Amino acid sequence: LNAMQILWINILMDGPPAQSLGVEPVDPDVMKRPPRTVSAPIITKDMVGKVALSAAFILCGTLWIFWREMQDNIITPRDTTMTFTCFVFFDLFNALTSRSQTK
């Protein structure tokens, strides 16, 4: 990745999700749930499983695009751009779909 691609990832991954989450209405069910116990873990096995599944999906999708673009066995700027763009869209989709653990 070059510096412009890293900057693009940073701008695209931080900006739109933060804007959408900032103006999202408050969940009315938050105050209806009881507090978690002191001994309950913050990061649960279910959460780790969901994160691992999401990461595996993003990894497989991005590598599949790279594999499809590499059919001619020559790395071109188009190959890396397609792979990079696929990764950005997967990550943006993941950020927008991971807004709640229950809904």
Side-chain angles (χ1 to χ4, degrees), residues 11-55:
I11 290 170
L12 194 64
M13 293 301 106
D14 291 343
Q19 292 294 324
S20 65
L21 292 176
V23 297
E24 187 170 300
V26 177
D27 184 9
D29 296 334
V30 167
M31 296 305 288
K32 294 177 183 174
R33 290 192 303 247
R36 65 176 180 84
T37 62
V38 175
S39 60
I42 295 173
I43 300 174
T44 63
K45 290 181 181 180
D46 184 49
M47 183 188 299
V48 171
K50 288 179 182 178
V51 169
L53 181 65
S54 177

Side-chain angles (χ1 to χ4, degrees), residues 64-81:
W64 183 78
I65 291 293
F66 185 67
W67 173 77
R68 293 276 299 164
E69 290 297 317
M70 287 292 301
Q71 293 298 316
D72 56 359
N73 292 327
I74 300 170
I75 297 178
T76 63
R78 183 182 191 280
D79 300 341
T80 55
T81 300

Side-chain angles (χ1 to χ4, degrees), residues 81-96:
T81 300
M82 288 291 291
T83 304
F84 171 76
T85 303
C86 174
F87 169 72
V88 167
F89 280 123
F90 269 124
D91 207 18
L92 183 61
F93 179 74
N94 183 52
L96 294 175

Side-chain angles (χ1 to χ4, degrees), residues 50-62:
K50 288 179 182 178
V51 169
L53 181 65
S54 177
F57 185 75
I58 291 170
L59 178 69
C60 290
T62 304

